[in-house]
Amino acid sequence: MKKAILLFLLVLATTGCVDIGKSSYDEIANEIINTDAKMANTYRKGYKFYLPQSLYVVSSANYNEIIKSEKETFYLYIDLISYLNKFAVVYEQEENIFFKDLTTEDNSGYIEIKNVENDKYLVEIAYNCAKIEVIVEKGREKLVVSEALIILSSIQYNDSFLTNLSSESLLNYKEENVDIFDKGTSGDNSNILEWKDEYDGYDEDKIPDWDHIQ
């Protein structure tokens, strides 16, 4: 029953039937990550996750997913090394951004939202040994945060598969994998990070008031 109710709420939240704009980031994050229900409709070798109906996968390879909505492109990175070694997220909070700590009893992570220019924001969320980055137009930040958190919090890892990966496979993964929790590193496979590097920084006269973001 609880799972059915949660699924109904998630569908409402991601199809515009409720006004997410009136909810705070704290309310959105707490409601999603604190649920005990686990659902999945997208399956991969080593993990599975729930993909909201408004999103679809356009590419999946090497534990990376490119996911699209009507207007946004989500870049999902799975960090197997952090999961297998039970590493906590290590981050350094930057200035002049919206930041929320997502640390719970079982997980660690954060939400960052950076105002760049042309009424666009860079949303970066790390949680559950995975990370999503997406550029979003002004007014859609909370919807994107809710969609990204639904995906990240729903990820379930297949321990029996992952722990049986050959040492060679893990070595190749380590060599190819960008440390998604290293705030000072940009990988060649991340279009979002390249865009972030290009537009990083604020106009000091245009620092946003995060309490009044729609």
Side-chain angles (χ1 to χ4, degrees):
M1 182 65 178
K2 184 175 181 181
K3 289 185 178 181
I5 293 173
L6 177 64
L7 179 58
F8 176 72
L9 291 175
L10 294 185
V11 171
L12 285 179
T14 56
T15 55
C17 296
V18 294
D19 191 353
I20 291 177
K22 291 183 179 179
S23 300
S24 69
Y25 288 107
D26 284 341
E27 290 171 336
I28 292 170
N30 291 337
E31 191 69 29
I32 294 173
I33 68 176
N34 288 330
T35 179
D36 293 329
K38 292 291 184 181
M39 298 171 295
N41 58 9
T42 307
Y43 301 85
R44 304 287 184 249
K45 287 185 177 180
Y47 64 98
K48 59 184 177 179
F49 60 91
Y50 179 83
L51 188 69
Q53 290 184 345
S54 56
L55 308 181
Y56 61 96
V57 176
V58 296
S59 142
S60 176
N62 301 321
Y63 302 100
N64 295 329
E65 309 265 351
I66 298 178
I67 299 169
K68 287 202 171 188
S69 66
E70 179 183 0
K71 293 187 176 182
E72 291 87 28
T73 300
F74 296 68
Y75 295 86
L76 168 63
Y77 310 101
I78 304 292
D79 189 348
L80 292 185
I81 305 304
S82 290
Y83 176 75
L84 292 172
N85 291 282
K86 308 303 179 187
F87 292 152
V89 175
V90 178
Y91 53 84
E92 183 175 342
Q93 183 176 349
E94 301 178 39
E95 296 180 355
N96 299 330
I97 61 171
F98 171 83
F99 181 89
K100 176 175 174 55
D101 185 1
L102 295 179
T103 300
T104 65
E105 182 178 349
D106 301 318
N107 257 308
S108 59
Y110 60 85
I111 301 173
E112 282 188 358
I113 307 176
K114 176 172 287 188
N115 184 21
V116 276
E117 61 179 35
N118 299 325
D119 288 331
K120 291 193 176 182
Y121 295 85
L122 173 63
V123 175
E124 180 179 308
I125 305 178
Y127 189 71
N128 199 13
C129 297
K131 179 177 175 181
I132 285 179
E133 295 176 321
V134 55
I135 293 169
V136 58
E137 294 179 358
K138 184 176 181 180
R140 292 178 58 85
E141 307 91 349
K142 290 181 179 179
L143 174 62
V144 164
V145 166
S146 67
E147 291 172 331
L149 279 175
I150 287 170
I151 294 171
L152 293 173
S153 64
S154 71
I155 295 173
Q156 300 173 63
Y157 294 95
N158 185 335
D159 290 337
S160 60
F161 176 84
L162 295 177
T163 53
N164 286 322
L165 285 176
S166 67
S167 57
E168 181 179 355
S169 296
L170 281 177
L171 179 60
N172 290 335
Y173 177 80
K174 288 180 181 179
E175 290 175 347
E176 295 175 1
N177 187 46
V178 176
D179 184 353
I180 64 174
F181 301 131
D182 182 350
K183 302 295 294 170
T185 301
S186 293
D188 293 337
N189 64 338
S190 174
N191 294 330
I192 292 288
L193 289 176
E194 290 175 3
W195 193 91
K196 179 181 177 182
D197 288 340
E198 181 178 354
Y199 293 103
D200 198 14
Y202 284 99
D203 182 334
E204 292 182 357
D205 296 327
K206 297 181 180 179
I207 295 176
D209 183 350
W210 296 106
D211 290 333
H212 292 87
I213 285 185
Q214 297 298 314

